[in-house]
Amino acid sequence: MDKVLSHLTLNTRQFHELTMRARVVLSQLPLSLTVVLVLVGGWFHPDLFESQPFMIGVGLHAVLLALCFIVPWDRLPYASFLIIPLLDFIPIGLMRHGAGTVITGVGLLTVFPVIWLAASGLYPRAALATGFLASLGIVWVPLFVADAAVNSQSLTQSFLLPFIMLAIGITIRVMTASMMAQQAVVEEKDRTLQKLLEESARRERLLETVVNSVDIGLIALDEAGRPVLTNRKLEQFRALAGGSADTSEADLRIFQQDGSSVTPAARRPTRRAADGQVFSDYLLWWGDLPNQRVLSTSSRLMTNQAGTREGSVVTFNDVTELVRALNAKDEFVATVSHELRTPLTAIRGYLELLTSMPDLEPEVASGLEVVSRNSERLHKLVVDLLATAEGPPEITPAPTNFSDLVGRRFATAEERNNNPLVHFENHTAPDLVALCDAPRIGQVLDNLLSNAIKYSPGGGRVTVSAAEVDGEVECSVTDQGSGMSAEELRGVFSKFFRTSAARNAAIPGVGLGLAISKAIVERHGGTITCRSVEGQGSTFTFRLPLAHADQDLQTQES
């Protein structure tokens, strides 16, 4: 009994979650408590306890309540509990008949088994019919037992209680059906939710396993810049930089390219990502020597279907060995280039001296011309290698007559061309003034024109055009040569890049001209792009800032 009462008072579990025995006891308990109240009221009517039918009814009800506790309902068929409300009509009928006029209204106890039957949801029509007929029997049976002269008037006057019970049963049945339907929907949603939660937990475990398996550091930030996910590799990097899981990134030992200048907090990758910035291959030096490592960091935004930012993901990739290899390569290139420059200068000097001598034999002059041409190629190669090894080019922008610069470089390229199948066209607009370093931009034009000629062994037009576009000076060099595939086009501005057609045709070059040209243009704050179709040629286009009138005036005054 205490266990049942605890379920009532604590309300920690839903009724359908209780054991069958607890549910049967709870269903019978309201009737039992009401019978107790009737007995308490009977103390004011001693004659009530002298009524044999009443006391028999009370005793039978006590037996039924005991059965609710004793019978192992969980082991019996599910509908077996309905025997209790069906038997309840017998003691109720006896107590009503025994109470007589001493305590009126005892017959209303019929409402409890009627409600139980209707609320069970089992055999709804039979339950309603049983409740009606049992209520009618409780009223009619005493009439036949007590008075042999039963007439139609006494029978019809007794119909009120059965019909009240029928109405209550129908109401309870309708409400129960609605509640059961709602409960079914809720349970179905609960099962669906449980499946989603299990699937979410499984995916979370999978995600955690994946992010901890990769060999790169990773951190995910929400829209407010708070970390929501990190992996073990990032914790290793943080430990390398003198931090732990709880250390702020601003307190980590993170340096700039020289390996000793501390990176400002605003330039650190997580802070930049929290501010909504997107970046790739952002190099930083983590930790102190001799254990310092170079990490390449990248950030990408997380957005929802509406395109609203929901956070960022930052990756940290250890590229120390790659950076060391690139530095070693640059040092090697610089050393070799410097070693080549000295003998090459002597060769060019003596060639100039020899070619200036009078009365040279034709064969000797022709040989010296070949040597001179190849020495120039070697000189250009050495200059390009040195420019690559020295890093970003230094520029001094000044207002420059860009139309005149293009014309001079175009004329030089046309003069040096030794392929009679290549034809030149210059469509440069007059009086273009660009803010640029003329020698450096001249180098860009030389590289583009030289490539256009080299990669057009079958001839065709090499066209140069320049005009003012969107407030900038735009220049394009177009050829009708071998062109490039889409895959080759992606790496066209990389160092030492050469197309398969150039390698197969043994076209001279080491693939540095375009990389140098890109660096020069970008140092001017401009852009350079390439459009190409394999077998149809290529177009290289670069843009430079347009010089304004006041800039030109200042230059003239100086």
Side-chain angles (χ1 to χ4, degrees):
M1 188 71 174
D2 292 338
K3 181 179 179 182
V4 175
L5 290 175
S6 67
H7 284 299
L8 281 172
T9 55
L10 295 177
N11 193 27
T12 57
R13 298 171 64 186
Q14 297 293 330
F15 181 79
H16 67 276
E17 295 176 337
L18 301 175
T19 63
M20 182 60 71
R21 178 178 295 175
R23 280 185 277 173
V24 171
V25 171
L26 286 174
S27 299
Q28 182 70 355
L29 204 55
L31 175 59
S32 301
L33 294 176
T34 307
V35 170
V36 171
L37 291 176
V38 172
L39 291 175
V40 172
W43 286 105
F44 302 98
H45 303 281
D47 295 342
L48 183 65
F49 295 102
E50 296 177 1
S51 173
Q52 186 178 8
F54 180 82
M55 297 308 297
I56 293 174
V58 172
L60 287 176
H61 177 75
V63 171
L64 290 176
L65 181 60
L67 290 175
C68 291
F69 283 96
I70 297 172
V71 175
W73 301 103
D74 300 280
R75 301 179 186 176
L76 299 178
Y78 179 74
S80 59
F81 68 88
L82 293 179
I83 191 66
I84 298 297
L86 291 174
L87 293 176
D88 276 338
F89 290 108
I90 297 175
I92 292 173
L94 290 172
M95 286 189 287
R96 178 183 179 278
H97 177 64
T101 58
V102 177
I103 298 181
T104 59
V106 175
L108 292 177
L109 294 176
T110 313
V111 72
F112 292 107
V114 168
I115 292 176
W116 191 349
L117 290 171
S120 68
L122 301 174
Y123 316 111
R125 295 182 181 179
L128 293 175
T130 300
F132 175 78
L133 294 175
S135 302
L136 187 62
I138 288 174
V139 177
W140 275 8
V141 169
L143 293 177
F144 286 102
V145 172
D147 188 359
V150 178
N151 54 42
S152 59
Q153 183 179 0
S154 61
L155 292 176
T156 53
Q157 289 176 348
S158 306
F159 264 103
L160 181 59
L161 179 63
F163 274 108
I164 290 176
M165 295 300 111
L166 179 61
I168 292 174
I170 292 174
T171 302
I172 296 299
R173 172 57 195 157
V174 172
M175 294 176 62
T176 302
S178 176
M179 291 173 61
M180 292 177 68
Q182 292 179 6
Q183 181 179 337
V185 172
V186 171
E187 289 178 349
E188 178 62 28
K189 290 183 178 180
D190 182 66
R191 286 192 292 270
T192 303
L193 180 60
Q194 289 295 332
K195 290 181 180 178
L196 290 176
L197 289 175
E198 292 174 2
E199 179 66 18
S200 177
R202 188 186 69 82
R203 293 187 177 216
E204 184 176 352
R205 292 192 298 270
L206 176 61
L207 176 62
E208 184 177 357
T209 302
V210 170
V211 299
N212 284 317
S213 298
V214 296
D215 197 32
I216 61 174
L218 183 145
I219 183 171
L221 308 172
D222 62 15
E223 62 274 13
R226 295 184 296 264
V228 294
L229 176 68
T230 59
N231 67 347
R232 284 194 290 265
K233 192 65 177 180
L234 178 59
E235 299 308 322
Q236 294 176 11
F237 290 148
R238 293 174 69 88
L240 180 68
S244 62
D246 300 326
T247 305
S248 170
E249 186 185 63
D251 298 327
L252 297 178
R253 303 280 292 166
I254 302 177
F255 305 99
Q256 301 181 49
Q257 186 173 1
D258 58 7
S260 58
S261 299
V262 176
T263 304
R267 298 297 300 164
R268 300 195 174 199
T270 304
R271 172 67 179 276
R272 291 182 63 187
D275 292 339
Q277 298 183 35
V278 176
F279 50 89
S280 298
D281 300 326
Y282 178 47
L283 298 182
L284 292 170
W285 278 250
W286 287 49
D288 298 301
L289 294 172
N291 299 319
Q292 192 174 71
R293 307 296 292 178
V294 184
L295 301 187
S296 173
T297 62
S298 300
S299 172
R300 293 293 180 270
L301 297 180
M302 293 188 297
T303 58
N304 56 23
Q305 293 181 346
T308 304
R309 175 174 170 263
E310 292 185 334
S312 302
V313 175
V314 188
T315 58
F316 303 78
N317 190 20
D318 190 342
V319 294
T320 306
E321 304 306 326
L322 176 61
V323 169
R324 289 174 179 171
L326 290 175
N327 289 339
K329 182 201 70 174
D330 290 342
E331 290 176 5
F332 171 77
V333 169
T335 301
V336 171
S337 300
H338 280 292
E339 292 298 326
L340 288 174
R341 173 179 279 182
T342 301
L344 185 58
T345 301
I347 292 174
R348 295 179 69 205
Y350 279 106
L351 275 173
E352 185 177 353
L353 179 63
L354 290 173
T355 54
S356 64
M357 294 177 64
D359 301 327
L360 288 175
E361 295 292 332
E363 294 82 357
V364 175
S366 175
L368 289 176
E369 181 182 354
V370 172
V371 174
S372 178
R373 186 168 59 249
N374 283 280
S375 67
E376 287 297 325
R377 283 178 52 194
L378 184 58
H379 177 260
K380 185 178 183 304
L381 172 61
V382 171
V383 170
D384 287 348
L385 287 172
L386 284 173
T388 302
E390 290 171 357
E394 293 296 330
I395 63 167
T396 306
T400 302
N401 188 331
F402 189 78
S403 302
D404 181 63
L405 176 63
V406 172
R408 285 186 279 109
R409 296 298 182 176
F410 181 85
T412 301
E414 190 173 17
E415 181 182 344
R416 291 178 178 176
N417 172 46
N418 56 10
N419 186 349
L421 300 177
V422 175
H423 305 283
F424 294 84
E425 294 183 7
N426 186 1
H427 301 296
T428 301
D431 301 325
L432 293 174
V433 180
L435 185 63
C436 65
D437 186 321
R440 290 294 191 180
I441 295 302
Q443 186 180 355
V444 172
L445 289 168
D446 288 344
N447 285 335
L448 297 181
L449 288 167
S450 173
N451 282 349
I453 296 171
K454 283 193 302 184
Y455 290 100
S456 302
R461 289 191 305 275
V462 172
T463 305
V464 179
S465 60
E468 179 181 340
V469 178
D470 298 331
E472 295 179 306
V473 174
E474 181 180 275
C475 181
S476 298
V477 177
T478 303
D479 65 68
Q480 296 178 323
S482 57
M484 290 174 282
S485 65
E487 182 178 356
E488 290 174 331
L489 194 60
R490 286 193 289 269
V492 68
F493 293 108
S494 302
K495 293 179 182 179
F496 304 105
F497 172 81
R498 305 203 68 211
T499 65
S500 57
R503 294 192 298 269
N504 294 336
I507 296 175
V510 291
L512 289 175
L514 291 177
I516 294 172
S517 299
K518 182 175 186 291
I520 293 173
V521 171
E522 289 182 347
R523 288 285 290 177
H524 282 79
T527 59
I528 184 168
T529 58
C530 176
R531 292 182 292 106
S532 183
V533 177
E534 195 168 12
Q536 298 182 23
S538 305
T539 297
F540 288 87
T541 302
F542 66 92
R543 286 190 175 192
L544 297 172
L546 189 67
H548 300 295
D550 57 343
Q551 293 173 320
D552 190 36
L553 180 62
Q554 291 171 1
T555 303
Q556 291 176 1
E557 290 175 351
S558 62

